[in-house]
Amino acid sequence: MQVSRRIEGSLPVVLGVGVFAVSAVPFDQTGGLTSPVLIVTAAAAGAAAWFARRSWWPLALLGAVFYVWLVMWPPLMVASYYAGTTLRGARGVAIYLGGTAVALGAAVIVGDLIGGRREMVTATGANVALMAMALVGLPFMFGLWTRARRDVLAAARERADRLEREQVMRAEQARAQERARIAREMHDVVAHRVSLMVLHAGALEVRTTDEPTARTASMIGGIGREALANLRELLGVLRSNQQPAELSPQPTLADLDRLLDQSRALGISVRRHDHGEPRALGSTVERTAYRVVQEALTNVHKHARDAHTDVHVRFLNGTLQVEVLNRGSANGTEHALPGAGWGLAGLRERVELLGGSLQAGPRQEGGYGVTAAIPVRATA
């Protein structure tokens, strides 16, 4: 693209120099070297050709005058081409062709007066027709063809751009409709059932006389209300296409203890182990590490509620490693909650987007382990 622009930008210079060089050659070589007058007129023709892309009328006027005076043909030929590329109305075309006809007629009169070779080139019928076709007709028609080709290409580009814009608009509309449908489904199904869970937990908290049961019901209600708040934010994203930055602050490692306390309150034995010197790692890395622990503890709740669980957070050189290990459930999977397995798959994609890796699977000594290594430089 830059090369083509450079070539296009250098064309006026090349054209101006070419018109000057050809015009500086005298019509009648028998006179010896070119005269200063011819050099000046050739320089004027070259300068006019240089600026012909901006305005070609000065070149056309000089071409007509110089052709009649000195049989200097390059300016008239170049002007005819530019006239073909720019003139659109019949009136403009008629004026230009009429002007060139006048110039050619004047050249015939001057050739008759001077005689000799000048008369043979500019005043005989066959040569007049040949010069008219070579200097005006063919360049003018080539200019018309060039303009028509440019118009066709411009129309094709405009049509392609319009089709692309329409395609993008249709895709955006389809995405908006799909987001709205998903939002409706989530509101009608998930939000309704979470609301019922919160209401039942609140009723249990009020009616029970057992203090541990009341605390558990209060915790369930709080978790349910937090889930409803997060769900409302997600529904807002789906409906209004707002940016994720407009959501409430997302959890980081500073919120990890609160997450572990919620699991402990549900009867899970969880211990946290920090290795290395804790330091700020950036919201993206810390949020991903938090989600790793959250998903791993969710799986413990589903499949191994009585298993002892250890959460290791290792601040390594250039890497944050998060490891969640449990020692296995004495009850097996008899009372395990159903799961589709998409949680770990989505978590692996989240970690790999940051250039890290995630491994999950049974341990040789029993139990299950989830390990994620997240590069700290990913937040730079």
Side-chain angles (χ1 to χ4, degrees):
M1 182 65 69
Q2 293 181 354
V3 175
S4 62
R5 289 181 178 177
R6 290 178 181 177
I7 294 176
E8 186 177 358
S10 63
L11 284 179
V13 179
V14 175
L15 185 62
V17 173
V19 169
F20 166 75
V22 178
S23 300
V25 179
F27 167 72
D28 189 355
Q29 303 265 353
T30 58
L33 298 176
T34 57
S35 64
V37 175
L38 185 61
I39 294 297
V40 172
T41 55
W50 190 332
F51 294 99
R53 296 182 64 180
R54 299 179 182 178
S55 178
W56 56 269
W57 283 103
L59 180 63
L61 293 175
L62 290 179
V65 173
F66 292 165
Y67 180 75
V68 174
W69 178 22
L70 301 171
V71 197
M72 188 180 291
W73 54 269
L76 188 60
M77 177 183 288
V78 175
S80 298
Y81 167 77
Y82 279 109
T85 59
T86 57
L87 292 176
R88 294 186 178 272
R91 180 180 179 182
V93 172
I95 291 175
Y96 179 78
L97 294 180
T100 56
V102 171
L104 292 174
V108 171
I109 297 175
V110 173
D112 287 337
L113 294 176
I114 296 177
R117 185 183 177 197
R118 179 70 176 270
E119 179 182 7
M120 181 184 65
V121 173
T122 63
T124 59
N127 284 341
V128 169
L130 180 62
M131 296 296 283
M133 181 59 65
L135 301 182
V136 180
L138 292 178
F140 189 78
M141 287 189 293
F142 183 65
L144 291 176
W145 177 83
T146 302
R147 186 190 69 190
R149 182 174 177 273
R150 290 175 181 173
D151 292 344
V152 170
L153 292 177
R157 284 193 296 267
E158 182 180 358
R159 183 167 57 254
D161 292 341
R162 184 175 66 253
L163 292 176
E164 183 178 359
R165 290 192 299 268
E166 292 177 355
Q167 184 177 4
V168 171
M169 291 177 60
R170 285 194 296 269
E172 289 292 338
Q173 185 178 7
R175 282 194 291 265
Q177 293 175 351
E178 183 64 14
R179 286 195 301 266
R181 186 190 66 80
I182 295 174
R184 288 193 301 268
E185 293 294 331
M186 292 179 64
H187 179 271
D188 294 341
V189 178
V190 181
H192 173 69
R193 297 192 177 184
V194 175
S195 299
L196 289 178
M197 182 186 69
V198 173
L199 291 175
H200 284 294
L204 179 62
E205 180 183 4
V206 172
R207 294 176 182 175
T208 186
T209 58
D210 184 56
E211 185 65 24
T213 302
R215 287 197 302 268
T216 302
S218 176
M219 184 191 63
I220 294 174
I223 294 175
R225 282 186 289 271
E226 184 178 353
L228 283 175
N230 294 334
L231 184 59
R232 280 194 296 268
E233 291 178 347
L234 291 176
L235 294 180
V237 172
L238 290 173
R239 289 194 177 104
S240 63
N241 197 25
Q242 68 185 75
Q243 297 298 319
E246 300 175 16
L247 298 175
S248 60
Q250 299 296 299
T252 60
L253 289 180
D255 303 296
L256 188 57
D257 287 331
R258 184 168 66 91
L259 176 65
L260 300 183
D261 289 337
Q262 291 176 353
S263 294
R264 295 187 186 106
L266 294 175
I268 303 296
S269 176
V270 183
R271 289 192 304 178
R272 174 177 176 176
H273 310 274
D274 287 352
H275 309 270
E277 183 179 355
R279 60 188 186 276
L281 302 177
S283 60
T284 304
V285 169
E286 293 194 11
R287 181 167 62 250
T288 302
Y290 179 93
R291 296 302 185 193
V292 170
V293 177
Q294 183 183 47
E295 179 61 26
L297 290 179
T298 299
N299 289 335
V300 172
H301 285 287
K302 289 181 178 180
H303 307 291
R305 292 179 56 86
D306 59 341
H308 180 79
T309 303
D310 292 293
V311 177
H312 297 271
V313 181
R314 295 184 174 88
F315 296 88
L316 305 178
N317 185 19
T319 304
L320 174 66
Q321 186 183 72
V322 179
E323 193 173 31
V324 181
L325 307 173
N326 68 70
R327 300 176 184 175
S329 173
N331 298 325
T333 59
E334 180 180 356
H335 301 288
L337 296 175
W342 294 112
L344 287 177
L347 201 61
R348 180 174 286 105
E349 293 178 357
R350 181 195 289 261
V351 173
E352 289 177 352
L353 282 175
L354 297 180
S357 61
L358 184 139
Q359 298 177 352
R363 304 168 61 197
Q364 292 182 354
E365 58 271 24
Y368 200 86
V370 176
T371 304
I374 310 171
V376 176
R377 62 180 179 273
T379 61

